Amino acid sequence: MARSSISGPVSLELGIAVDRSVSMHAVFEPMRAAALALVDEAVSDEDRLFVVGFSNETRLLAEGRGEAARVIAALPSTPEIGNRPTALFAA
């Protein structure tokens, strides 16, 4: 993501949605690592970042501007325990 092609100060508003359903168990750690790498490489102190987790319900896990470390720390390290699938078609 190159910001150098835009003149003047530019800030991002970046949301990360994390599927926490039990079906993500096998791929959860690579997904989390990719999200951490994205934030590390692309988010600056001027940017607003938020993390939303979803499985059978959606929750705002953390948000803030200039607080990438705190927000990204809210990324869950494992999917939810149990057998609740993603409520994709329940809406």
Side-chain angles (χ1 to χ4, degrees):
M1 182 181 312
R3 295 183 198 199
S4 60
S5 62
I6 302 171
S7 63
V10 175
S11 63
L12 294 175
E13 191 140 335
L14 178 64
I16 299 175
V18 179
D19 183 348
R20 297 193 63 202
S21 64
V22 72
S23 64
M24 291 293 292
H25 185 72
V27 296
F28 199 82
E29 186 51 41
M31 176 277 307
R32 187 174 191 278
L36 292 171
L38 171 68
V39 169
D40 188 48
E41 293 176 22
V43 175
S44 73
D45 288 342
E46 295 82 35
D47 299 330
R48 179 175 176 265
L49 176 64
F50 62 95
V51 177
V52 175
F54 65 94
S55 60
N56 64 325
E57 64 182 23
T58 303
R59 290 182 301 213
L60 177 65
L61 301 176
E63 59 93 19
R65 183 176 303 281
E67 301 181 89
R70 181 188 63 78
V71 174
I72 206 66
L75 266 176
S77 57
T78 60
E80 292 183 349
I81 306 284
N83 61 357
R84 294 180 290 182
T86 303
L88 181 63
F89 300 106

